[in-house]
mmCIF file of all heavy atoms in Angstrom:
data_model
loop_
_atom_site.group_PDB
_atom_site.id
_atom_site.type_symbol
_atom_site.label_atom_id
_atom_site.label_comp_id
_atom_site.label_asym_id
_atom_site.label_seq_id
_atom_site.Cartn_x
_atom_site.Cartn_y
_atom_site.Cartn_z
ATOM 1 N N LYS A 1 109.706 108.373 81.089
ATOM 2 C CA LYS A 1 108.578 108.984 80.384
ATOM 3 C C LYS A 1 108.112 108.040 79.274
ATOM 4 O O LYS A 1 108.925 107.457 78.550
ATOM 5 C CB LYS A 1 108.988 110.322 79.779
ATOM 6 C CG LYS A 1 107.841 111.040 79.036
ATOM 7 C CD LYS A 1 108.332 112.270 78.303
ATOM 8 C CE LYS A 1 108.772 113.357 79.279
ATOM 9 N NZ LYS A 1 109.115 114.619 78.550
ATOM 10 N N VAL A 2 106.807 107.890 79.158
ATOM 11 C CA VAL A 2 106.246 107.114 78.048
ATOM 12 C C VAL A 2 106.304 107.981 76.791
ATOM 13 O O VAL A 2 105.670 109.039 76.721
ATOM 14 C CB VAL A 2 104.791 106.706 78.345
ATOM 15 C CG1 VAL A 2 104.207 105.948 77.136
ATOM 16 C CG2 VAL A 2 104.715 105.836 79.596
ATOM 17 N N VAL A 3 107.095 107.550 75.810
ATOM 18 C CA VAL A 3 107.213 108.325 74.570
ATOM 19 C C VAL A 3 106.528 107.623 73.394
ATOM 20 O O VAL A 3 106.402 108.200 72.311
ATOM 21 C CB VAL A 3 108.698 108.596 74.221
ATOM 22 C CG1 VAL A 3 109.347 109.451 75.303
ATOM 23 C CG2 VAL A 3 109.471 107.296 74.040
ATOM 24 N N GLU A 4 106.073 106.382 73.633
ATOM 25 C CA GLU A 4 105.416 105.628 72.561
ATOM 26 C C GLU A 4 104.627 104.487 73.175
ATOM 27 O O GLU A 4 105.011 103.939 74.215
ATOM 28 C CB GLU A 4 106.475 105.067 71.603
ATOM 29 C CG GLU A 4 105.920 104.273 70.435
ATOM 30 C CD GLU A 4 107.018 103.614 69.613
ATOM 31 O OE1 GLU A 4 108.202 103.948 69.833
ATOM 32 O OE2 GLU A 4 106.684 102.760 68.765
ATOM 33 N N VAL A 5 103.516 104.145 72.557
ATOM 34 C CA VAL A 5 102.788 102.942 72.968
ATOM 35 C C VAL A 5 102.907 101.918 71.850
ATOM 36 O O VAL A 5 102.822 102.251 70.668
ATOM 37 C CB VAL A 5 101.310 103.235 73.285
ATOM 38 C CG1 VAL A 5 101.192 104.086 74.538
ATOM 39 C CG2 VAL A 5 100.601 103.881 72.122
ATOM 40 N N LEU A 6 103.132 100.676 72.228
ATOM 41 C CA LEU A 6 103.348 99.596 71.273
ATOM 42 C C LEU A 6 102.037 98.898 70.961
ATOM 43 O O LEU A 6 101.255 98.581 71.865
ATOM 44 C CB LEU A 6 104.343 98.583 71.836
ATOM 45 C CG LEU A 6 105.743 99.113 72.170
ATOM 46 C CD1 LEU A 6 106.536 98.052 72.917
ATOM 47 C CD2 LEU A 6 106.473 99.529 70.907
ATOM 48 N N GLY A 7 101.796 98.614 69.700
ATOM 49 C CA GLY A 7 100.613 97.876 69.285
ATOM 50 C C GLY A 7 100.984 96.509 68.753
ATOM 51 O O GLY A 7 102.144 96.089 68.806
ATOM 52 N N ASP A 8 100.003 95.807 68.222
ATOM 53 C CA ASP A 8 100.232 94.457 67.706
ATOM 54 C C ASP A 8 101.237 94.417 66.557
ATOM 55 O O ASP A 8 101.881 93.407 66.306
ATOM 56 C CB ASP A 8 98.907 93.858 67.225
ATOM 57 C CG ASP A 8 98.018 93.482 68.398
ATOM 58 O OD1 ASP A 8 98.549 93.365 69.510
ATOM 59 O OD2 ASP A 8 96.801 93.310 68.193
ATOM 60 N N LYS A 9 101.379 95.532 65.803
ATOM 61 C CA LYS A 9 102.243 95.533 64.627
ATOM 62 C C LYS A 9 103.676 95.954 64.930
ATOM 63 O O LYS A 9 104.506 96.036 64.038
ATOM 64 C CB LYS A 9 101.648 96.453 63.562
ATOM 65 C CG LYS A 9 100.312 95.955 63.013
ATOM 66 C CD LYS A 9 99.782 96.864 61.927
ATOM 67 C CE LYS A 9 98.449 96.343 61.377
ATOM 68 N NZ LYS A 9 97.917 97.219 60.313
ATOM 69 N N SER A 10 103.970 96.251 66.214
ATOM 70 C CA SER A 10 105.343 96.611 66.565
ATOM 71 C C SER A 10 106.246 95.397 66.416
ATOM 72 O O SER A 10 105.836 94.274 66.692
ATOM 73 C CB SER A 10 105.404 97.113 68.011
ATOM 74 O OG SER A 10 104.609 98.271 68.155
ATOM 75 N N PRO A 11 107.484 95.602 65.970
ATOM 76 C CA PRO A 11 108.399 94.469 65.795
ATOM 77 C C PRO A 11 108.571 93.677 67.081
ATOM 78 O O PRO A 11 108.749 94.249 68.151
ATOM 79 C CB PRO A 11 109.713 95.148 65.388
ATOM 80 C CG PRO A 11 109.300 96.482 64.825
ATOM 81 C CD PRO A 11 108.091 96.887 65.570
ATOM 82 N N VAL A 12 108.503 92.346 66.961
ATOM 83 C CA VAL A 12 108.637 91.485 68.130
ATOM 84 C C VAL A 12 109.975 91.699 68.821
ATOM 85 O O VAL A 12 110.095 91.629 70.040
ATOM 86 C CB VAL A 12 108.482 90.000 67.718
ATOM 87 C CG1 VAL A 12 108.737 89.082 68.900
ATOM 88 C CG2 VAL A 12 107.082 89.760 67.146
ATOM 89 N N SER A 13 111.027 91.982 68.050
ATOM 90 C CA SER A 13 112.366 92.153 68.618
ATOM 91 C C SER A 13 112.420 93.305 69.618
ATOM 92 O O SER A 13 113.297 93.361 70.461
ATOM 93 C CB SER A 13 113.385 92.387 67.508
ATOM 94 O OG SER A 13 113.072 93.581 66.793
ATOM 95 N N GLN A 14 111.474 94.252 69.499
ATOM 96 C CA GLN A 14 111.473 95.379 70.418
ATOM 97 C C GLN A 14 110.763 95.049 71.724
ATOM 98 O O GLN A 14 110.865 95.782 72.686
ATOM 99 C CB GLN A 14 110.761 96.576 69.769
ATOM 100 C CG GLN A 14 111.498 97.153 68.575
ATOM 101 C CD GLN A 14 110.757 98.360 68.003
ATOM 102 O OE1 GLN A 14 109.648 98.664 68.411
ATOM 103 N NE2 GLN A 14 111.392 99.042 67.068
ATOM 104 N N LYS A 15 110.044 93.950 71.739
ATOM 105 C CA LYS A 15 109.146 93.703 72.865
ATOM 106 C C LYS A 15 109.790 92.893 73.984
ATOM 107 O O LYS A 15 109.441 91.746 74.227
ATOM 108 C CB LYS A 15 107.875 93.022 72.373
ATOM 109 C CG LYS A 15 107.010 93.932 71.497
ATOM 110 C CD LYS A 15 105.676 93.266 71.192
ATOM 111 C CE LYS A 15 104.799 94.179 70.360
ATOM 112 N NZ LYS A 15 103.486 93.571 70.076
ATOM 113 N N LYS A 16 110.729 93.498 74.655
ATOM 114 C CA LYS A 16 111.185 92.925 75.911
ATOM 115 C C LYS A 16 110.084 93.150 76.934
ATOM 116 O O LYS A 16 109.175 93.928 76.723
ATOM 117 C CB LYS A 16 112.484 93.591 76.354
ATOM 118 C CG LYS A 16 113.659 93.329 75.429
ATOM 119 C CD LYS A 16 114.923 93.976 75.969
ATOM 120 C CE LYS A 16 116.101 93.672 75.052
ATOM 121 N NZ LYS A 16 117.351 94.309 75.550
ATOM 122 N N LYS A 17 110.192 92.477 78.069
ATOM 123 C CA LYS A 17 109.175 92.612 79.102
ATOM 124 C C LYS A 17 109.669 93.517 80.224
ATOM 125 O O LYS A 17 110.869 93.634 80.482
ATOM 126 C CB LYS A 17 108.804 91.243 79.672
ATOM 127 C CG LYS A 17 108.023 90.356 78.713
ATOM 128 C CD LYS A 17 106.570 90.785 78.648
ATOM 129 C CE LYS A 17 105.750 89.785 77.841
ATOM 130 N NZ LYS A 17 104.319 90.155 77.806
ATOM 131 N N ALA A 18 108.716 94.143 80.913
ATOM 132 C CA ALA A 18 109.034 94.971 82.067
ATOM 133 C C ALA A 18 107.841 94.984 83.009
ATOM 134 O O ALA A 18 106.691 94.769 82.605
ATOM 135 C CB ALA A 18 109.365 96.399 81.637
ATOM 136 N N VAL A 19 108.141 95.215 84.295
ATOM 137 C CA VAL A 19 107.092 95.542 85.256
ATOM 138 C C VAL A 19 106.896 97.050 85.164
ATOM 139 O O VAL A 19 107.847 97.813 85.322
ATOM 140 C CB VAL A 19 107.487 95.142 86.690
ATOM 141 C CG1 VAL A 19 106.378 95.537 87.667
ATOM 142 C CG2 VAL A 19 107.778 93.650 86.770
ATOM 143 N N VAL A 20 105.680 97.478 84.890
ATOM 144 C CA VAL A 20 105.366 98.899 84.750
ATOM 145 C C VAL A 20 104.385 99.276 85.854
ATOM 146 O O VAL A 20 103.361 98.592 86.028
ATOM 147 C CB VAL A 20 104.768 99.217 83.372
ATOM 148 C CG1 VAL A 20 104.418 100.698 83.261
ATOM 149 C CG2 VAL A 20 105.740 98.814 82.269
ATOM 150 N N ALA A 21 104.676 100.350 86.604
ATOM 151 C CA ALA A 21 103.863 100.698 87.770
ATOM 152 C C ALA A 21 103.525 102.182 87.819
ATOM 153 O O ALA A 21 104.286 103.025 87.314
ATOM 154 C CB ALA A 21 104.591 100.299 89.048
ATOM 155 N N VAL A 22 102.384 102.469 88.425
ATOM 156 C CA VAL A 22 101.953 103.851 88.657
ATOM 157 C C VAL A 22 101.391 103.950 90.069
ATOM 158 O O VAL A 22 101.004 102.943 90.676
ATOM 159 C CB VAL A 22 100.884 104.299 87.645
ATOM 160 C CG1 VAL A 22 101.443 104.325 86.240
ATOM 161 C CG2 VAL A 22 99.639 103.410 87.723
ATOM 162 N N GLU A 23 101.333 105.165 90.581
ATOM 163 C CA GLU A 23 100.734 105.431 91.891
ATOM 164 C C GLU A 23 99.660 106.497 91.755
ATOM 165 O O GLU A 23 99.661 107.289 90.812
ATOM 166 C CB GLU A 23 101.792 105.907 92.886
ATOM 167 C CG GLU A 23 102.741 104.831 93.330
ATOM 168 C CD GLU A 23 103.674 105.299 94.422
ATOM 169 O OE1 GLU A 23 104.487 106.202 94.153
ATOM 170 O OE2 GLU A 23 103.592 104.764 95.541
ATOM 171 N N SER A 24 98.752 106.516 92.719
ATOM 172 C CA SER A 24 97.729 107.555 92.758
ATOM 173 C C SER A 24 97.311 107.782 94.204
ATOM 174 O O SER A 24 97.645 106.988 95.096
ATOM 175 C CB SER A 24 96.507 107.147 91.923
ATOM 176 O OG SER A 24 95.796 106.117 92.580
#
């Protein structure tokens, strides 16, 4: 579940990368 969206001011240390996918 998406519980937060990260913006430019979010700490860099939190910004690991991921493949994020959706279907429709």
Side-chain angles (χ1 to χ4, degrees):
K1 181 187 292 186
V2 177
V3 297
E4 181 186 349
V5 292
L6 300 171
D8 287 342
K9 294 182 179 180
S10 298
V12 175
S13 62
Q14 293 182 352
K15 292 188 178 181
K16 294 182 178 179
K17 290 282 188 178
V19 178
V20 179
V22 296
E23 288 186 296
S24 72

